[in-house]
Amino acid sequence: MSRIVYVNGEYLPEEDAKISVFDRGFLMGDGVYEVSSILDGKLVDNAAHIARLERSLSELKMDWPCTKEELLEIQREILRLNNVTEGAVYWQITRGAADRDFVFPKNPKSSLVMFTQAKNIVDVPAAKTGISVITVPDIRWHRRDIKTVQLLASSMAKMAALEAGANDAWQVETGYVTEGSSNNAFIVTQDETIVTRNLSNDILHGITRRVILELAEKENLTVDIRPFTPDEAYGAAEAFITSASSFVMPVVKIDDHKIGTGTPGPIAVKLRKLYIEIARADAA
Ligand code: PMP
């Protein structure tokens, strides 16, 4: 059975869902998106994802295609229609269709597309083994704080990782790790300090990152918000990534360096467990 997806006011089987050839998301990457994870049929950290979408739209002077309340109704309906209990909901807003021009159209009609992905996100083998990452140059544009659909550089980083036999890539700029291909990067130093890069236009302001930092504070863990180099990461006691779809995922190898014992570290494992508990409890 095919999925039901949402396209500009209609719920359609995915093979019938169509977008204009002139959609600026397609022609120019002129669009933004969000992903909320789904646990027990409910949305995780969804209000924060909607708030970040609002900021992305505003930074690009793009209009909302509907109200926030309508967006939430569409999310709930698409979960219901596809009967998804665990996985993710993806939604994308573009500036809509207009004849190709670098100038924004005068009266744009923004477009909204939404679909679900049913998958296990809690009980995943990688959480037990940890993942490996390679470092790659960060070749993305300089507004990584805006969650645009321009994901080719991230896609290429991920492909470089797969070709090197690794699971993911950490991007590096002027000697420091910015973030993962689709996640925020953390290390834990030998003296048990959690280190992650400060917020700026250089990285996406991860929703999961924020919740993890709040959790770390509650757990009286020491946190140092600053950039770190690949060399520092090679010598770390632990490493991990955070994102809506991976929660907290331990990293056990960076380039050719085994991290800690080469198995998921205790802080990453604890934060993953606590995060999933809170996510389940607060999902709505
Ligand atoms: N950085 C990048 C580049 C990402 O694509 C993502 C995932 N969308 C993240 C960080 C993590 O953000 P979040 O925790 O909000 O999913």
Side-chain angles (χ1 to χ4, degrees):
M1 223 179 63
S2 82
R3 256 180 308 194
I4 301 292
V5 308
Y6 174 91
V7 191
N8 293 322
E10 290 187 287
Y11 296 92
L12 298 166
E14 62 181 74
E15 55 277 14
D16 296 337
K18 303 270 168 23
I19 277 283
S20 167
V21 162
F22 294 100
D23 190 277
R24 289 178 58 92
F26 174 60
L27 292 181
M28 305 235 165
D30 191 359
V32 297
Y33 76 104
E34 280 294 334
V35 179
S36 286
S37 55
I38 304 166
L39 282 179
D40 309 321
K42 295 186 227 159
L43 296 161
V44 176
D45 294 334
N46 192 48
H49 285 280
I50 293 177
R52 185 172 62 190
L53 181 75
E54 178 154 53
R55 179 177 180 277
S56 292
L57 288 170
S58 140
E59 290 298 301
L60 296 178
K61 299 181 170 53
M62 204 182 288
D63 295 332
W64 275 97
C66 58
T67 66
K68 279 182 246 173
E69 292 71 29
E70 283 163 348
L71 181 79
L72 189 59
E73 274 169 34
I74 300 165
Q75 289 181 312
R76 297 219 183 290
E77 183 62 3
I78 203 144
L79 260 63
R80 191 188 68 76
L81 287 171
N82 291 287
N83 200 16
V84 186
T85 54
E86 190 168 324
V89 59
Y90 173 98
W91 71 101
Q92 165 175 327
I93 297 174
T94 69
R95 209 178 302 271
D99 199 3
R100 186 175 183 276
D101 193 340
F102 282 76
V103 176
F104 292 172
K106 277 223 169 52
N107 296 304
K109 193 170 176 314
S110 45
S111 161
L112 171 62
V113 164
M114 192 182 298
F115 57 83
T116 53
Q117 292 181 307
K119 56 187 172 192
N120 286 347
I121 49 176
V122 173
D123 202 6
V124 288
K128 294 196 180 72
T129 57
I131 62 162
S132 57
V133 302
I134 60 163
T135 56
V136 299
D138 195 334
I139 60 166
R140 297 173 300 164
W141 78 330
H142 290 280
R143 289 305 306 274
R144 301 160 194 157
D145 56 312
I146 309 173
K147 199 164 167 62
T148 77
V149 297
Q150 303 173 67
L151 295 175
L152 188 53
S154 300
S155 188
M156 286 168 71
K158 182 99 180 175
M159 288 313 295
L162 297 189
E163 277 157 25
N167 302 109
D168 208 344
W170 279 11
Q171 302 174 95
V172 177
E173 187 171 62
T174 58
Y176 292 90
V177 173
T178 51
E179 59 188 330
S181 65
S182 59
N183 43 66
N184 290 115
F186 293 69
I187 56 170
V188 181
T189 63
Q190 296 295 343
D191 66 357
E192 297 197 349
T193 299
I194 298 171
V195 182
T196 195
R197 193 179 175 108
N198 51 295
L199 297 181
S200 68
N201 292 353
D202 296 336
I203 62 168
L204 185 74
H205 301 188
I207 306 298
T208 321
R209 172 191 179 279
R210 186 167 80 206
V211 178
I212 289 302
L213 290 176
E214 287 164 7
L215 254 175
E217 196 182 332
K218 259 193 227 146
E219 292 296 310
N220 289 319
L221 297 168
T222 311
V223 175
D224 196 358
I225 307 286
R226 61 167 172 82
F228 58 87
T229 62
D231 264 342
E232 188 180 5
Y234 299 153
E238 291 186 39
F240 60 92
I241 55 169
T242 62
S243 74
S245 48
S246 69
F247 304 140
V248 176
M249 185 59 71
V251 171
V252 295
K253 194 174 166 210
I254 305 174
D255 292 329
D256 290 329
H257 303 264
K258 189 165 85 172
I259 305 305
T261 58
T263 57
I267 292 181
V269 169
K270 180 175 177 181
L271 289 173
R272 178 176 176 88
K273 180 170 171 285
L274 290 173
Y275 179 80
I276 292 171
E277 279 169 17
I278 290 180
R280 270 198 204 289
D282 294 351

